Amino acid sequence: NAVGTAAISIFNFSPVLAGLFIGGFWQVIVIFGLHWWLIPIMIQNIATNGFDPVIITYFAASFAQTGTAFAIMLKTKDIKLKTIAAPACIAGIFGINEPIVYGVTLPRKKYFVIACIAAAIGGAIIAYTGAYLYIFAGFGLFSIPGFINPATNDMSGMYYGIIASVVAFAIAAAVSFVLFKDE
């Protein structure tokens, strides 16, 4: 309840601040299993309002983690890390971040933080643009069609979601690529 109330309260105060908060802390929330307390709020928002503007600000988080893992995969000389990162990137594109988080970024804490900061920026973009999720379609690429307004077929939210994800991916990948050094 506290996590959900905090998310809604921050959103009511400032959507962009909520985007920074939810986007930035999404992976931390997932690690502790608290995201299952936010998903019902998203579903409730969709059921009562026809859309969710709050919780969807997590959307860019999986792409930020994927960007970090992709940069590490490209730069590392460690064959074991490369073999973990490559399939983890594929899973991350589809919103399954556990292989990236537990196998690539969290053991290298700095890169986990880089991905969280990039996700916060992506979340802020989603909130700033007013992109809504109309249909809960899963995570990662599967969520993209959920941004299309079914009443008007307006696809602008989908474009904003894609832009936010590309920005989060690019920031995370660029910063991680520049800073990464094999241990």
Side-chain angles (χ1 to χ4, degrees), residues 55-77:
I55 309 305
I56 190 53
T57 56
Y58 78 84
F59 180 70
S62 67
F63 295 100
Q65 290 288 333
T66 304
T68 298
F70 182 71
I72 291 171
M73 178 193 71
L74 291 178
K75 198 149 180 198
T76 189
K77 306 269 190 268

Side-chain angles (χ1 to χ4, degrees), residues 27-28 31 65 105 108-116:
Q27 289 303 324
V28 176
I31 288 171
Q65 290 288 333
T105 61
R108 294 152 195 85
K109 293 168 188 60
K110 173 172 49 175
Y111 302 99
F112 181 78
V113 172
I114 290 167
C116 289

Side-chain angles (χ1 to χ4, degrees), residues 93-115:
I93 291 169
F94 296 102
I96 302 165
N97 286 334
E98 287 80 1
I100 293 173
V101 170
Y102 296 115
V104 181
T105 61
L106 197 55
R108 294 152 195 85
K109 293 168 188 60
K110 173 172 49 175
Y111 302 99
F112 181 78
V113 172
I114 290 167

Side-chain angles (χ1 to χ4, degrees), residues 47-182:
T48 57
N49 303 326
F51 59 87
D52 172 62
V54 182
I55 309 305
I56 190 53
T57 56
Y58 78 84
F59 180 70
S62 67
F63 295 100
Q65 290 288 333
T66 304
T68 298
F70 182 71
I72 291 171
M73 178 193 71
L74 291 178
K75 198 149 180 198
T76 189
K77 306 269 190 268
D78 181 346
I79 299 300
K80 183 178 178 186
L81 178 55
K82 205 175 273 277
T83 54
I84 292 170
C89 286
I90 295 167
I93 291 169
F94 296 102
I96 302 165
N97 286 334
E98 287 80 1
I100 293 173
V101 170
Y102 296 115
V104 181
T105 61
L106 197 55
R108 294 152 195 85
K109 293 168 188 60
K110 173 172 49 175
Y111 302 99
F112 181 78
V113 172
I114 290 167
C116 289
I117 291 168
I121 294 166
I125 291 169
I126 290 170
Y128 178 77
T129 61
Y132 296 156
L133 185 72
Y134 295 94
I135 300 164
F136 182 60
F139 299 100
L141 287 179
F142 296 122
S143 288
I144 292 174
F147 283 97
I148 300 170
N149 185 337
T152 64
N153 291 326
D154 178 21
M155 296 175 62
S156 62
M158 181 181 76
Y159 299 134
Y160 295 139
I162 291 170
I163 290 167
S165 298
V166 168
V167 167
F169 180 95
I171 290 170
V175 173
S176 297
F177 191 84
V178 168
L179 296 180
F180 184 78
K181 290 182 177 81
D182 277 316

